[in-house]
C-alpha cells in the first residue's frame, strides 16, 4: 500500500500515466506531527486496491461518548449528514421541542462527518450560557486555547487557519448567538457549524433541520409496534432496568398507548421506561399523567432535562410575559386551532398583536406545531405532553375559567355561523365542523360538565341547538344524543327557542336510533315550547319532526295533517331549507297513503328548492327518497338512473343515515332489476352497518319478507341467505361504489327533518 500526503498528491496528480490514480483516505492525525494530514492512496490498475483502515492516531474530537445506542434516527442521521455535505452549506441548525433528541442526533451525525475536517470536531455545551462574551469563552475553552487567547478576535484568528466542525449545543437562550455564529462563518471558511436550538438562529446561511418525535405505530399489533422507533426505544430502556422485559401480546397495547401519550418524545419515553423496574406496563399507563414529573435517575442527564417538566420549562422561561400568557391559553384548545381562534382566545379581543407573530415565536421556541388546515391556512396545536404543561401553568396563573369561557364563546359563535350557512356551503361547512369537532366537544364539556354546579347551561343549550345538524351529517349520532340529553337535562324548567331546537335535534337523533316513541315525546315538547315562546320558525320545524314520527309509528293520517300544517306555516316563513324538508317528508307520507303522483310532485318541488339553495346533503336525501318512490311506482329504470347519479355524492358526504337509506333504495332496485345476489349482499351489509352504529332499520322484517317474495323463483331462499350473510362481512360503501355510476368512498330509512 502506497500512501502519500495531500501536498505530494497535489504535486503529482496531473502526472500519472494511464491506469494510475489517487484514492482519498480522508484526514488523519499521525504520530509526532502536530497538524492533521490529508492522506491519499496510490492505486494502479491490476494491483491490489483494498487494504485495512490506516492505523493512525485519528481525528481530533471532543464529542461526548454515548452510553446508549441511538435508536430510530438512522435515516435522520443520514439526511443530516447529506444536508451538511451539500454544496455551500456550512451551518445546519437542529430545531425541535425539548426532549426530542437534538443533541444525540447532532453528535451522531458529527461522528459521521469527522473525517471531512482535518482539525477535528468539537462539542461546545452552551446550556448554562446566556451572553455573547461567555459564548466566545466557552468555545475557546473547548478548543483548549490559552486564557490570553480567549478574546473573540483571537478565537476567530485561530479558527481561520483550520478545517474544523463545531457542534454548538443549546443556543436558544444565548443573547447574541446569531452574531457569534455569523462572525465564525465569515472569519473561518474552513469551519462548519452544527447547532442545536429550540428556535432557529435566523441567519441567511442557516439550513434548518427539524427534529420530530419518534415514529409511533399505526396500530397496537406486535408487528406494527416492532417497527416503531418509539416502541423500540421504550423496550431498549426498559430492558436496561429489567433485562427480561419483552414486547408481548399481553403488554403491546399498553406500551403503544404509553408511547402515544408521550408523543413519541425520546426523553419522555426514556424517563418513563425506567419505571418498568417496579411497575407493570398497565400500572405505568395508569400513572402516565405524572410523566412530566418523572425524574431521571442518571447523573449524566443535564439538569434542565432531569424531568420532562424542566425540559419544557426551559423553553417557557425564555418567552416574554405576553408570549407565556398566549402559550398557556393554548391549552384550552382541543385538536388545534386556526389563527382567528388563537387571536380570540389566546390573545384576547383587547390585544392588537398579530396572532401569526406570536405563533411564529412559539414555533421558533419549539412549543407548538404548525400545519396546514383544511382551508390551507395555518393550524396550531400542542404535543400532549406540552399541552399538559401549558394547562398546569394556566391553572397556576388562575386563568383557567376565563380562558375556557372565551374558548366556549368563540366556538359557539362558529357553530351558529356554520348552522346559518351550511345549506349553501355543505362541503366546506361539514369539513370545518369535522375539523373543529374536538373543540366543540371541549366547549360542551365546559358548558355542561357532570357537576351540576359548574359550567354555563345557557351556552350549552345554544351549542346543542347549533350543532344538531352536524351530529347527523357527520355521522356522530350516538355521541350527539348523549350531549343533547345532558343539555336537555341540565336545562330542565327553562324555555327558549334554543332549547326547543335542542329538543327537536334530540328527537331527530332518536328517530335515527330507532326510538320513535321517545322521539315523539321530544317533538311534542319542542312544539309546545316553540309555541310558548312564539317562535314560528321553530314551531314549523317541530311540526315537521312530529309528522315524521307519527308516520313512523303508523298514524299516517295524523302525520299527513301535521305535516300539512307545518307546510302551510313554512310557506309563510323565509326558510327555504325548512320548506324543502317538510315538502319531502309530506311526500313520504303521501307515498305511504298510495298517492304517488302527489308524493312525486311534492318531492320534485323539494328538490328544486334544494338545488337552488345549493344544499348538497338535503338534495341527496330527497333525491334518494324520490328514487325509492319511483321503485314503488314500478319505474325501475328511472329509479336506477337517478340513483346512479347520486352514488358519488352520497359516498363523498359519508353520512351513515343517508348512506344506509340509499343502500336500501339501491337494494330494492337490484331486486327488481334481476340482480338478487347483489341485493342480498347489500341487504346484509346494511343490516351489519345499522347494528354496528346502533341505528337499526325498524322496517327490516317487512322488507325481508318483500325481498323473499320478489326473488321467488329467481334464487333459492338458502342461496339468498348465504349472500345476505356474506354481505354482513362487507362494507356498504364498497358495494355501492360498484353500482352503475358509483366511484368514490364512504354510505335507514329516509333521513328526517
Amino acid at each position: 500500500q502506497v500512501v502519500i500526503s495531500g501536498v505530494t498528491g497535489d504535486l503529482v496528480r496531473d502526472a500519472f500515466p494511464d491506469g494510475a490514480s489517487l484514492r482519498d483516505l480522508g484526514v488523519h492525525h499521525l504520530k509526532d506531527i502536530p497538524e492533521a494530514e490529508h492522506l491519499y492512496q496510490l492505486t494502479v490498475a491490476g494491483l491490489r486496491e483494498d487494504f485495512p483502515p490506516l492505523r493512525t492516531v485519528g481525528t481530533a474530537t471532543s464529542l461526548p461518548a454515548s452510553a446508549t445506542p441511538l435508536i430510530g434516527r438512522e435515516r435522520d442521521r443520514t439526511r443530516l449528514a447529506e444536508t451538511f455535505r451539500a454544496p455551500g452549506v456550512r451551518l445546519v441548525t437542529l430545531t425541535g421541542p425539548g426532549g426530542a433528541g437534538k443533541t444525540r442526533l447532532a453528535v451522531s451525525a458529527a461522528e459521521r462527518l469527522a473525517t471531512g475536517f482535518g482539525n477535528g470536531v468539537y462539542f461546545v455545551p452552551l446550556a448554562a450560557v446566556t451572553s455573547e462574551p461567555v459564548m466566545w469563552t466557552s468555545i475557546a475553552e473547548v478548543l483548549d486555547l490559552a486564557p490570553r487567547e480567549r478574546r473573540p478576535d483571537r478565537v476567530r484568528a485561530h479558527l481561520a487557519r483550520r478545517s474544523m466542525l463545531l457542534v454548538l449545543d443549546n443556543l436558544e437562550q444565548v443573547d447574541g448567538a446569531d452574531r457569534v455564529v455569523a462572525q465564525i462563518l465569515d472569519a473561518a471558511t474552513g469551519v462548519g457549524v452544527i447547532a442545536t436550538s429550540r428556535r432557529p438562529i435566523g441567519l441567511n446561511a442557516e439550513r434548518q433541520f427539524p427534529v420530530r418525535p419518534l415514529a409511533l405505530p399505526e396500530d397496537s399489533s406486535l408487528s406494527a409496534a416492532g417497527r416503531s422507533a418509539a416502541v423500540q426505544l421504550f423496550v431498549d430502556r426498559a430492558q436496561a432496568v429489567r433485562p427480561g422485559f419483552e414486547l408481548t401480546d399481553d403488554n403491546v397495547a399498553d406500551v403503544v398507548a404509553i408511547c402515544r401519550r408521550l408523543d413519541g418524545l425520546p426523553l419522555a419515553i426514556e424517563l418513563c421506561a425506567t419505571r418498568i423496574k417496579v411497575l407493570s406496563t398497565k400500572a405505568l399507563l395508569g400513572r402516565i399523567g405524572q410523566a412530566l414529573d418523572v425524574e431521571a435517575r442518571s447523573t449524566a442527564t443535564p439538569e434542565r432535562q432531569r424531568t420532562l417538566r424542566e425540559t419544557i420549562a426551559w423553553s417557557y422561561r425564555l418567552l416574554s410575559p405576553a408570549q407565556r400568557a398566549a402559550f398557556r391559553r393554548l391549552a384550552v384548545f382541543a385538536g388545534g386551532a386556526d389563527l382567528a381562534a388563537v387571536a380570540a382566545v389566546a390573545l384576547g379581543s383587547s390585544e392588537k398583536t398579530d396572532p401569526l407573530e406570536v405563533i411564529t415565536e412559539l414555533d421558533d421556541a419549539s412549543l407548538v406545531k404548525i400545519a396546514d388546515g383544511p382551508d390551507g391556512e395555518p393550524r396550531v396545536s400542542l404535543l400532549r405532553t406540552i399541552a399538559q404543561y401549558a394547562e398546569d401553568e394556566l391553572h397556576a396563573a388562575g386563568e383557567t375559567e376565563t380562558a375556557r369561557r372565551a374558548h366556549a364563546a368563540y366556538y359557539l359563535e362558529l357553530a351558529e355561523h356554520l348552522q346559518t350557512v351550511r345549506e349553501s356551503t355543505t362541503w366546506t361547512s361539514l369539513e370545518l365542523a369535522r375539523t373543529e369537532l374536538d373543540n366543540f366537544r371541549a366547549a360542551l364539556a365546559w358548558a355542561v360538565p357532570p357537576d351540576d354546579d359548574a359550567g354555563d347551561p345557557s351556552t350549552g343549550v345554544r351549542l346543542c341547538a347549533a350543532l344538531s345538524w352536524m351530529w347527523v351529517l357527520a355521522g356522530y349520532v350516538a355521541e350527539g344524543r348523549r350531549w343533547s340529553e345532558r343539555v336537555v337535562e341540565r336545562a330542565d324548567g327553562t324555555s327558549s327557542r334554543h332549547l326547543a331546537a335542542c329538543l327537536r335535534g334530540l328527537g331527530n337523533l332518536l328517530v335515527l336510533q330507532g326510538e320513535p316513541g321517545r322521539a315523539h315525546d321530544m317533538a311534542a315538547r319542542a312544539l309546545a315550547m316553540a309555541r310558548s315562546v312564539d317562535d314560528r320558525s321553530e314551531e314549523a320545524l317541530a311540526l315537521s319532526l312530529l309528522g315524521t314520527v307519527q308516520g313512523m309509528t303508523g298514524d299516517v293520517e295524523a302525520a299527513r295533517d301535521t305535516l300539512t300544517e307545518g307546510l302551510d306555516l313554512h310557506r309563510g316563513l323565509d326558510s327555504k331549507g325548512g320548506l324543502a324538508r317538510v315538502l319531502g317528508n309530506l311526500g313520504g307520507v303521501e307515498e305511504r297513503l298510495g298517492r304517488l303522483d302527489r308524493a312525486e310532485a311534492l318531492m320534485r318541488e323539494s328538490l328544486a328548492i334544494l338545488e337552488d339553495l345549493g344544499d348538497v346533503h338535503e338534495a341527496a336525501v330527497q333525491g334518494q327518497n324520490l328514487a325509492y318512490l319511483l321503485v314503488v311506482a314500478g319505474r325501475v329504470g328511472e329509479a336506477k338512473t337517478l340513483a346512479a347519479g347520486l352514488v358519488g355524492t352520497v359516498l363523498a358526504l359519508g353520512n351513515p343515515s343517508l348512506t344506509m337509506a340509499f343502500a336500501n333504495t339501491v337494494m330494492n332496485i337490484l331486486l327488481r332489476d334481476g340482480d338478487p345476489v347483489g341485493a342480498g349482499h347489500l341487504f346484509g351489509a346494511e343490516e351489519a352497518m345499522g347494528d354496528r352504529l346502533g341505528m337499526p332499520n325498524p322496517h327490516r322484517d317487512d322488507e325481508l319478507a318483500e325481498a323473499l317474495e320478489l326473488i321467488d323463483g329467481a334464487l333459492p331462499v338458502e342461496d339468498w341467505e348465504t349472500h345476505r350473510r356474506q354481505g354482513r362481512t362487507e362494507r356498504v360503501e364498497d358495494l355501492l361504489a360498484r353500482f352503475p355510476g358509483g366511484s368514490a368512498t364512504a354510505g335507514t330509512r329516509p333521513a328526517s327533518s
Side-chain angles (χ1 to χ4, degrees), residues 5 15 31 132 148 221 258 278 318 324 343 447 485 492 669 743:
S5 69
K31 187 177 180 181
E132 185 176 343
R148 65 178 179 277
S221 65
I258 290 168
V278 293
L318 296 176
R324 292 181 195 176
E485 287 176 331
D492 188 37
I669 292 172
S743 59

Side-chain angles (χ1 to χ4, degrees), residues 126-135 169-178 180 318:
L126 298 168
V129 175
T130 58
S131 67
E132 185 176 343
V134 178
M135 182 173 173
D169 188 48
N170 280 104
L171 292 182
E172 61 267 6
Q173 79 292 338
V174 181
D175 184 18
D178 55 339
V180 174
L318 296 176

Side-chain angles (χ1 to χ4, degrees), residues 411-412 414-416 418-419 433 436-437 439-441 443-444 459-474 476 480 483-484 502 505 509:
Y411 284 100
L412 170 59
L414 176 62
E416 291 181 334
L418 292 178
Q419 182 188 36
E436 299 294 0
L437 179 57
N439 279 308
F440 291 139
R441 288 166 170 156
L444 281 166
T459 295
V461 167
R462 289 177 61 186
L463 269 168
C464 173
L467 294 173
S468 58
W469 69 275
M470 188 271 293
W471 301 122
V472 176
L473 266 67
Y476 297 98
W483 283 119
S484 299
C502 284
L509 296 168

Side-chain angles (χ1 to χ4, degrees), residues 14 55 131 170 207 244 252 318 325 348 362-363 384 391 440 445 485 491 544 562 565 601 623 661 710 748:
D14 294 331
R55 288 185 291 177
S131 67
N170 280 104
R207 291 285 295 273
V252 64
L318 296 176
L362 296 178
D363 180 53
R384 277 176 290 190
E391 188 172 4
F440 291 139
E485 287 176 331
S544 183
T562 301
E565 182 184 356
L710 287 168
T748 339

Side-chain angles (χ1 to χ4, degrees), residues 578-658:
L579 174 60
R581 285 189 286 277
V582 75
L583 281 166
N585 291 339
L586 181 55
V589 169
E590 294 286 13
E591 172 198 313
R592 294 189 64 184
L593 289 169
R595 300 174 180 137
L596 301 188
D597 290 343
R598 171 68 173 154
E600 183 176 352
L602 291 166
M603 290 180 183
R604 290 195 183 277
E605 182 182 356
S606 174
L607 267 174
I609 294 171
L610 293 166
E611 289 169 356
D612 182 59
L613 280 175
D615 190 336
V616 178
H617 173 263
E618 280 300 322
V621 169
Q622 300 302 338
Q624 92 81 25
N625 286 347
L626 178 58
Y628 187 84
L629 171 67
L630 294 172
V631 171
V632 173
R635 295 151 62 182
V636 178
E638 293 177 64
K640 185 175 182 180
T641 300
L642 177 57
L646 289 171
V647 173
T649 301
V650 171
L651 295 180
L653 283 167
N655 174 4
S657 61
L658 172 59

Side-chain angles (χ1 to χ4, degrees), residues 32-43:
D32 298 327
I33 299 179
E35 294 293 329
E37 189 71 56
H38 205 138
L39 302 180
Y40 296 88
Q41 174 186 305
L42 176 65
T43 63

Side-chain angles (χ1 to χ4, degrees), residues 64 100 163 270 337 387 404 411 417 447 557 638 652 723:
S163 170
E270 290 182 356
R404 293 207 174 278
Y411 284 100
H417 169 71
E557 291 291 348
E638 293 177 64
H723 294 301

Side-chain angles (χ1 to χ4, degrees), residues 29-310:
H29 278 263
L30 305 175
K31 187 177 180 181
D32 298 327
I33 299 179
E35 294 293 329
E37 189 71 56
H38 205 138
L39 302 180
Y40 296 88
Q41 174 186 305
L42 176 65
T43 63
V44 179
L47 299 181
R48 179 181 175 184
E49 296 184 8
D50 295 324
F51 294 91
L54 295 176
R55 288 185 291 177
T56 56
V57 175
T59 301
T61 179
S62 69
L63 293 177
S66 299
T68 56
L70 183 68
I71 294 176
R73 295 295 192 192
E74 182 57 38
R75 182 177 300 179
D76 288 335
R77 179 169 61 176
T78 300
R79 284 180 47 241
L80 176 55
E82 291 173 349
T83 298
F84 197 87
R85 290 187 181 116
V89 176
R90 294 175 55 211
L91 169 62
V92 177
T93 304
L94 282 69
T95 60
K102 300 182 293 295
T103 300
R104 281 295 310 276
L105 179 59
V107 169
S108 182
E111 291 171 349
R112 183 168 291 187
L113 293 165
T115 58
F117 294 90
N119 297 109
V121 181
Y122 291 87
F123 179 83
V124 185
L126 298 168
V129 175
T130 58
S131 67
E132 185 176 343
V134 178
M135 182 173 173
W136 281 114
T137 301
S138 299
I139 294 172
E141 289 173 347
V142 168
L143 296 176
D144 201 24
L145 299 183
R148 65 178 179 277
E149 298 293 312
R150 293 176 183 177
R151 303 193 319 265
D153 59 329
R154 300 305 299 159
V155 176
R156 290 194 296 270
H158 176 84
L159 293 173
R161 301 189 300 271
R162 285 164 172 78
S163 170
M164 186 179 293
L165 176 62
L166 298 179
V167 180
L168 305 180
D169 188 48
N170 280 104
L171 292 182
E172 61 267 6
Q173 79 292 338
V174 181
D175 184 18
D178 55 339
R179 292 187 292 272
V180 174
V181 175
Q183 290 175 39
I184 289 173
L185 295 179
D186 288 342
T189 58
V191 172
V193 174
I194 292 179
T196 73
S197 175
R198 299 186 193 184
R199 62 174 67 243
I201 297 173
L203 300 178
N204 290 334
E206 181 180 32
R207 291 285 295 273
Q208 294 184 39
F209 192 93
V211 180
R212 310 296 184 194
L214 294 175
L216 294 166
E218 299 173 359
D219 54 55
S220 297
S221 65
L222 270 176
S223 58
R227 295 190 298 269
S228 162
V231 173
Q232 291 170 12
L233 178 63
F234 182 95
V235 172
D236 180 82
R237 298 303 184 260
Q239 289 175 340
V241 296
R242 187 196 289 181
F245 180 82
E246 296 289 343
L247 199 63
T248 67
D249 288 324
D250 293 333
N251 65 25
V252 64
D254 293 333
V255 172
V256 169
I258 290 168
C259 292
R260 285 176 177 163
R261 289 284 300 277
L262 298 175
D263 301 306
L265 285 172
L267 175 61
I269 293 172
E270 290 182 356
L271 292 175
C272 279
T274 60
R275 290 328 195 230
I276 287 296
K277 184 175 183 179
V278 293
L279 294 173
S280 67
T281 55
K282 189 169 296 296
L284 180 57
L285 179 59
R287 290 168 170 78
I288 203 69
Q290 305 166 14
L292 285 175
D293 298 307
V294 174
E295 188 169 347
R297 295 180 178 276
S298 172
T299 56
T301 303
E303 188 63 33
R304 69 182 187 282
Q305 292 186 344
R306 296 306 296 273
T307 70
L308 186 56
R309 184 179 298 279
E310 280 304 305

